[in-house]
Amino acid sequence: MGLLSFIFLLVICLLQGSNTSLVRLNDNGYEGIIFAIDPRVPEDEKIIEQIKDMVTTASIYLFEATEKRFFFKNVSILIPNNWKENPLYKRPKHESYKHADVLVAPPTLPGRDEPYTRQFTACEEKGEYIHFTPDFVLGKKEKEYGPSDRLFVHEWAHLRWGVFDEYNEDAPFYSAKSKKIEATRCSTGITGLNRVHKCQGNSCTTRGCRIDSKTKLYEKDCQFFPDKDQTEKASIMFMQGINSVVEFCNKENHNREAPSIQNKLCNFRSTWEVISNSEDFKNTTSLVAPPPPPVFSLLKIRERIVCLVLDKSGSMNGFNRLNRMNQAAKHFLLQTIENGSWVGMVHFDSTAYIKSNLIQIISSKERNNLLESLPTTANGGTSICAGIKSAFQVIGEIYPQIDGSEIVLLTDGEDNTAKNCIGEVKQSGAIIHLIALGPSADQAVIEMSALTGGNHFFASDEAQNNGLIDAFGGLASGNTDLSQQPLQLESKGLILNSNTWMNGTVIMDSTVGKNTFFLITWTIQEPIISLWDPNGIPMSNFTVDTVSKMAYLRIPGNAKVGVWTYSLQAKANSETLTITVNSQAANSSVPPITVNAKMNKDTNSFPSPMIVYAEVLQGYVPILGANVTAFIESNNGKTEVLELLDNGAGADSFKNDGVYSRYFIAYSENGRYNLKVRAQGGVNMAARYLRHPLNRASYIPGWVVDGKIEGNPPRAELDEDTQTPLESFTRTASGGAFVISNVSTLPLPDLYPPSQITDLEATPDGDEINLTWTAPGDNFDVGKVQQYIIRISDNILDLRDNFDNALQVNTTDLLPNEANSKETFAFKPGNISEENTTHIFIAIQSVDKSNLTSKLSNIAQVALFIPQTESDPDESHPNSGINISSLVLLVVGSVVIISIILGAIIYIVNKKKNSRRPRTGF
């Protein structure tokens, strides 16, 4: 296979999804895994050694757990810039924090060291990253979470194959068909005790679990304590810390009864069934020989090296493109690029021109010098490769090895020769960021950005959408501490007539305020600019750049917290005004509120739906209750507005995880689309959600050893529903570009069914069953469905696999509500309740006006019995479980005593009868 053919195949793989991981599977081994140590982690070389040990041992465990199919081949460890130098540390190439598979970072909150995988997509889809804390990596949390190597394999299954946990801390117990209460687990061969175990100081008490009168399950404080010695081999996604556990649950031993997250999200399939359906599995066969140990690369983050490669071809004269490019580039140079970075500049048309060699930015002097190098005229053709090769020359003069350097390529034209330098770009080790301006920007460069791990942005010719400034703003370094990164608080624009006003406010919350920068742009004539701080004091001293038609103001120190007010008065007809506001964290010890946005794919073919995701966080803590809006702009500037939701329904996999989602199906044309997201929180509306992270490692409360419980250190106590109110805030962020193909221009029939119901819940109420769920829409999550079909069965697999043949519930009186409303319905199960039936299983399908049906909902269940308890609920004794031998002796002793008593009674009765009988003789 030739190099270009190989690169083409690799690009196709890279463009399928928007997951930023650079991991690839090569001959059964995972290559390109990145562990990134956060800059806030204090320097400790033991962390590096522990990562090596963990991955090396985990590779063998993974190999055996996957039937000798997968192992870890090579791993890069990214070391922060603030750690001291070491000759073993090399410069990264494409590796960066953006592409990290495992983050070694401080805990979400102090004392919260639980490992978890950030995973907010559907079953079988890859996760975002794994988060380990330094204390976990250093082996200080092994008692609570088990050996780190085994836990890494557990989290890797989340990350790589999109499986979920086989426990559920929101539903730790369930009513089994055996009419007993069982711990949620897989497989049921895992043995242990359900107990309430409390400790104060060195004194511990253990008692049996009581049944909650409402749930008919065990009380809140009841926990499952596994036996220390087990023989069961499955499952890694339940509790990999058990010594005997070396396998994933499969079709034969999978526990479909349990209310596990795996069952809910993966339609009752076992984790091994999901893994076996992955592309990784399909493209490999089992090995005979054991795998080699992993190879590690130690890479230290260095100062940033960036070369701007700017298109000045003749087409840049149209639509005010040249000036808009200069406005955005100036904003990047004045505000976005970090001090200490090296920056150069190249212009290109049909040839390339080096305008500035690399300059290290120390102060405003270097920034202003670079401003003078921007292009002032546009003419000629387009040679993208010439521009890129000149950038290599600029970088190579100071850094002969250009690994890890960045090229920001802005172009508006097509160039059929661009594909000729793809191989050279790939071999260079440089990262290509593409900013495509207008509808005709070359498609070939998308391949370059995908191959090198770069960003891809698109800006239309609709200047009021502020796409170019947003794109350059999205190029802040992800390798610095979050407190040093610029955050966009506002980005908006309007087309106005003369003497009309663009008025608005910008909220400066207390987590930001440092290095605050206001930018105003116009297209015809300088407007009247008024800006007031929260105390009503007018701000003056804007720097006005009449050539580039922009004005900017940097607020010294920390900007005042509160509402800043602006008024911009246009002085010309058909004037386009924009305002952009950036700021940084006010305090390095308090994480700022952030928003990150992305689509679920980078390329898509009509009519397949896409999903918009926006993640609103403070540090790693999710923000709930925000108003989050997506703006999706097509190739020609048409904008679709979507309200994103964190309701656990439709496109949103998990409720209250700080990820706001929505389906996108409003395709208007082929070509590039741009995603922009705005998040806003009002007073007493948004809140930090302090519960433990989703998809976290199972905390082991203790072990049962010789019938007694040996407790582990307690986990940090926290009310799972704790929410702390937030002040008002606003954020905007670019989610980059994506490409749509095969959009039809002909009238089409209804193509989209209602979305799947994923949050169906059922609760018994006397002789009725109450159902609740979130309403889907006529087209996924938009509109209103025509009807609901509800069916029930006493067999979960029959309901899943033969839904149309299950017993249908009468829903004549059930009138559907608008999408994302809460639906409720009550019914009597009727003749389903046969003598041996222990559970009723319920599922729903939605039907739209075109008679298109949704996927089957998640399956809810109701137990038809009161479960048996395991032991005397009043039993209370220190540090012990039930002693089975004592119980057996007690039962046997009772039987013996009863037998003696019965024997005595029978003897006395018989003796009395005999005394009354006449005597006879021979």
Side-chain angles (χ1 to χ4, degrees):
M1 183 185 290
L3 177 61
L4 283 179
S5 300
F6 169 75
I7 288 172
F8 175 76
L9 288 174
L10 183 56
V11 167
I12 293 300
C13 294
L14 289 169
L15 290 179
Q16 290 304 307
S18 67
N19 183 280
T20 55
S21 175
L22 300 179
V23 174
R24 57 200 174 273
L25 183 63
N26 183 17
D27 293 334
N28 296 75
Y30 289 108
E31 301 179 334
I33 301 166
I34 299 173
F35 276 70
I37 302 173
D38 190 279
R40 293 170 294 168
V41 173
E43 183 165 358
D44 186 348
E45 290 187 2
K46 289 180 183 176
I47 291 175
I48 297 172
E49 295 309 311
Q50 288 293 109
I51 291 172
K52 290 180 178 180
D53 292 345
M54 174 176 67
V55 176
T56 301
T57 313
S59 184
I60 299 168
Y61 187 64
L62 175 69
F63 185 68
E64 296 298 333
T66 56
E67 298 178 352
K68 296 180 168 50
R69 196 176 284 265
F70 305 120
F71 63 95
F72 300 123
K73 186 178 285 187
N74 66 55
V75 176
S76 297
I77 301 175
L78 273 184
I79 296 160
N81 189 38
N82 54 1
W83 285 29
K84 65 176 180 288
E85 289 294 337
N86 185 313
L88 297 176
Y89 300 163
K90 307 301 181 186
R91 185 179 182 89
K93 292 186 178 180
H94 304 151
E95 301 86 355
S96 69
Y97 285 88
K98 168 191 168 185
H99 301 297
D101 303 290
V102 183
L103 293 175
V104 179
T108 52
L109 290 170
R112 295 266 292 272
D113 284 278
E114 61 263 284
Y116 68 93
T117 299
R118 188 60 165 158
Q119 188 178 15
F120 50 73
T121 52
C123 183
E124 297 188 277
E125 295 184 12
K126 292 179 174 65
E128 301 300 302
Y129 58 82
I130 297 167
H131 181 178
F132 289 153
T133 67
D135 278 358
F136 172 79
V137 173
L138 290 169
K140 297 178 182 179
K141 299 296 174 180
E142 186 167 321
K143 279 189 175 181
E144 295 94 322
Y145 300 106
S148 61
D149 56 316
R150 286 169 164 248
L151 197 139
F152 179 40
V153 172
H154 174 104
E155 300 302 335
W156 182 261
H158 279 303
L159 184 75
R160 184 68 186 181
W161 302 310
V163 298
F164 293 90
D165 293 320
E166 288 167 333
Y167 45 86
N168 186 346
E169 292 193 13
D170 292 329
F173 298 100
Y174 67 99
S175 298
K177 283 188 175 181
S178 62
K179 297 191 177 181
K180 294 181 180 179
I181 299 175
E182 293 281 0
T184 300
R185 66 196 190 282
C186 192
S187 72
T188 54
I190 299 291
T191 57
L193 295 176
N194 303 315
R195 293 290 182 271
V196 174
H197 182 75
K198 295 282 188 181
C199 295
Q200 283 190 336
N202 294 324
S203 175
C204 298
T205 59
T206 303
R207 64 170 173 81
C209 300
R210 302 185 181 110
I211 290 182
D212 184 284
S213 58
K214 291 183 179 179
T215 65
K216 302 295 188 292
L217 297 171
Y218 286 139
E219 60 193 294
K220 182 182 177 182
D221 290 335
C222 184
Q223 297 181 92
F224 175 72
F225 292 84
D227 289 325
K228 185 76 171 178
D229 294 324
Q230 306 261 358
T231 58
E232 182 61 39
K233 294 183 177 181
S235 168
I236 289 170
M237 296 312 292
F238 170 61
M239 199 173 282
Q240 72 292 326
I242 296 172
N243 288 337
S244 63
V245 169
V246 292
E247 296 176 356
F248 294 94
C249 263
N250 56 40
K251 192 173 183 179
E252 282 67 42
N253 58 17
H254 180 56
N255 180 10
R256 293 180 182 84
E257 285 190 83
S260 66
I261 303 171
Q262 171 69 19
N263 274 337
K264 179 182 177 182
L265 294 182
C266 296
N267 202 17
F268 299 92
R269 289 179 297 157
S270 68
T271 51
W272 187 245
E273 286 175 89
V274 174
I275 294 168
S276 300
N277 195 47
S278 68
E279 289 303 311
D280 288 355
F281 194 92
K282 293 175 183 176
N283 294 327
T284 54
T285 56
S286 294
L287 299 176
V288 176
V295 176
F296 295 92
S297 302
L298 305 182
L299 308 174
K300 189 171 187 289
I301 298 297
R302 311 286 180 178
E303 63 274 7
R304 199 174 179 194
I305 302 166
V306 180
C307 187
L308 301 181
V309 179
L310 306 177
D311 190 342
K312 61 170 287 292
S313 61
S315 55
M316 290 291 290
N317 277 318
F319 301 97
N320 195 33
R321 289 176 182 169
L322 185 70
N323 191 60
R324 288 178 58 216
M325 177 182 73
N326 286 344
Q327 290 172 342
K330 286 186 176 183
H331 182 253
F332 175 79
L333 293 168
L334 287 168
Q335 172 68 8
T336 305
I337 191 70
E338 304 80 11
N339 275 343
S341 302
W342 293 80
V343 182
M345 191 182 300
V346 169
H347 302 170
F348 71 94
D349 43 43
S350 52
T351 56
Y353 314 88
I354 295 174
K355 290 297 181 179
S356 174
N357 289 317
L358 288 181
I359 299 173
Q360 188 170 27
I361 295 179
I362 307 296
S363 64
S364 58
K365 175 185 174 183
E366 292 80 20
R367 296 178 187 272
N368 290 327
N369 287 343
L370 286 162
L371 298 184
E372 300 300 319
S373 300
L374 291 166
T376 55
T377 59
N379 49 62
T382 303
S383 178
I384 290 170
C385 285
I388 289 174
K389 289 177 181 179
S390 291
F392 289 162
Q393 182 181 338
V394 168
I395 296 165
E397 286 183 2
I398 292 184
Y399 289 93
Q401 297 295 323
I402 62 177
D403 292 348
S405 60
E406 301 170 69
I407 293 173
V408 178
L409 172 65
L410 185 146
T411 182
D412 77 333
E414 294 182 2
D415 176 7
N416 57 15
T417 66
K419 61 180 179 294
N420 295 342
C421 57
I422 289 178
E424 187 175 350
V425 167
K426 173 63 178 172
Q427 297 297 328
S428 71
I431 299 165
I432 308 292
H433 303 296
L434 168 64
I435 300 176
L437 176 55
S440 302
D442 196 271
Q443 298 282 335
V445 191
I446 299 176
E447 300 178 17
M448 295 185 191
S449 64
L451 278 170
T452 62
N455 295 310
H456 172 205
F457 298 99
F458 161 68
S460 75
D461 288 318
E462 301 295 324
Q464 73 276 11
N465 292 335
N466 217 21
L468 264 185
I469 290 172
D470 292 342
F472 271 100
L475 291 171
S477 172
N479 289 335
T480 57
D481 188 341
L482 184 60
S483 66
Q484 299 172 29
Q485 296 177 22
L487 305 172
Q488 197 174 71
L489 310 188
E490 185 58 277
S491 169
K492 65 167 52 174
L494 283 175
I495 298 176
L496 302 168
N497 288 320
S498 181
N499 295 318
T500 55
W501 295 82
M502 176 176 166
N503 300 320
T505 59
V506 177
I507 299 170
M508 196 72 58
D509 61 272
S510 63
T511 71
V512 292
K514 184 180 176 183
N515 200 18
T516 301
F517 191 84
F518 287 81
L519 172 68
I520 313 295
T521 71
W522 58 91
T523 55
I524 302 172
Q525 185 177 338
E526 180 185 347
I528 296 175
I529 301 171
S530 301
L531 175 68
W532 298 270
D533 77 2
N535 294 335
I537 299 173
M539 298 287 105
S540 55
N541 299 324
F542 271 84
T543 299
V544 179
D545 182 343
T546 54
V547 175
S548 294
K549 299 178 180 176
M550 56 188 280
Y552 52 91
L553 173 67
R554 191 184 305 277
I555 307 296
N558 279 358
K560 287 182 180 177
V561 173
V563 179
W564 292 66
T565 306
Y566 63 86
S567 289
L568 311 176
Q569 185 181 22
K571 304 307 293 180
N573 287 323
S574 300
E575 177 68 274
T576 300
L577 301 181
T578 75
I579 180 169
T580 308
V581 184
N582 290 80
S583 190
Q584 292 180 6
N587 186 331
S588 61
S589 63
V590 179
I593 297 167
T594 59
V595 59
N596 298 298
K598 73 169 198 171
M599 303 298 294
N600 68 320
K601 301 176 185 176
D602 292 326
T603 61
N604 192 44
S605 180
F606 179 85
S608 177
M610 295 188 72
I611 300 175
V612 192
Y613 295 111
E615 189 177 30
V616 187
L617 302 170
Q618 184 177 8
Y620 294 106
V621 176
I623 303 299
L624 310 187
N627 290 325
V628 184
T629 308
F631 303 88
I632 300 177
E633 185 182 13
S634 73
N635 221 19
N636 287 311
K638 182 180 178 181
T639 301
E640 182 76 15
V641 181
L642 290 173
E643 180 190 2
L644 307 185
L645 302 171
D646 185 14
N647 61 353
D652 194 63
S653 294
F654 295 97
K655 184 177 181 178
N656 291 342
D657 65 345
V659 178
Y660 298 73
S661 318
R662 203 71 185 267
Y663 284 107
F664 173 63
I665 53 176
Y667 308 121
S668 56
E669 59 184 310
N670 291 315
R672 288 185 178 91
Y673 288 69
N674 178 62
L675 170 64
K676 179 177 180 174
V677 164
R678 170 190 296 273
Q680 184 169 357
V683 176
N684 297 323
M685 183 180 72
R688 298 195 311 160
Y689 198 29
L690 302 182
R691 68 171 291 160
H692 295 278
L694 294 166
N695 303 314
R696 59 190 177 271
S698 177
Y699 164 76
I700 304 168
W703 302 96
V704 179
V705 180
D706 296 328
K708 295 182 179 180
I709 288 176
E710 295 182 356
N712 281 330
R715 185 164 58 179
E717 288 294 329
L718 186 73
D719 182 347
E720 283 289 279
D721 293 320
T722 295
Q723 297 184 30
T724 57
L726 277 179
E727 60 201 304
S728 298
F729 71 90
T730 57
R731 297 289 187 275
T732 61
S734 173
F738 59 98
V739 179
I740 302 295
S741 59
N742 297 325
V743 176
S744 175
T745 56
L746 301 173
L748 294 169
D750 185 358
L751 297 172
Y752 300 110
S755 60
Q756 180 188 21
I757 294 168
T758 57
D759 61 349
L760 175 64
E761 293 184 358
T763 53
D765 184 12
D767 62 348
E768 289 189 330
I769 295 174
N770 291 331
L771 303 180
T772 62
W773 68 93
T774 302
D778 178 79
N779 293 326
F780 287 107
D781 53 11
V782 176
K784 189 191 321 185
V785 302
Q786 191 78 8
Q787 64 167 321
Y788 294 114
I789 299 171
I790 302 177
R791 295 183 186 272
I792 61 177
S793 174
D794 61 355
N795 185 296
I796 196 168
L797 293 184
D798 283 351
L799 188 63
R800 183 190 73 177
D801 300 334
N802 300 291
F803 179 75
D804 292 340
N805 296 326
L807 181 65
Q808 186 167 350
V809 175
N810 185 349
T811 56
T812 305
D813 298 331
L814 177 55
L815 300 177
N817 291 307
E818 284 290 326
N820 299 304
S821 303
K822 206 65 184 175
E823 300 277 30
T824 59
F825 181 68
F827 71 97
K828 293 183 179 181
N831 60 4
I832 189 72
S833 301
E834 298 177 4
E835 186 177 341
N836 295 323
T837 299
T838 60
H839 292 75
I840 292 178
F841 301 98
I842 308 117
I844 304 180
Q845 264 191 341
S846 311
V847 184
D848 71 8
K849 61 181 180 292
S850 301
N851 213 33
L852 298 177
T853 58
S854 68
K855 291 181 180 178
L856 191 65
S857 72
N858 66 294
I859 297 176
Q861 60 177 282
V862 170
L864 301 178
F865 58 90
I866 297 175
Q868 304 165 8
T869 55
E870 199 175 55
S871 62
D872 179 4
D874 294 323
E875 176 188 352
S876 181
H877 45 78
N879 244 349
S880 67
I882 287 179
N883 188 312
I884 300 300
S885 301
S886 300
L887 185 61
V888 170
L889 288 173
L890 177 63
V891 172
V892 171
S894 301
V895 170
V896 169
I897 291 168
I898 291 169
S899 300
I900 292 170
I901 293 170
L902 285 174
I905 292 171
I906 292 168
Y907 172 77
I908 292 167
V909 169
N910 286 337
K911 188 173 183 181
K912 286 183 178 179
K913 283 182 179 178
N914 290 336
S915 66
R916 296 192 188 107
R917 192 175 297 164
R919 300 182 74 174
T920 58
F922 294 93

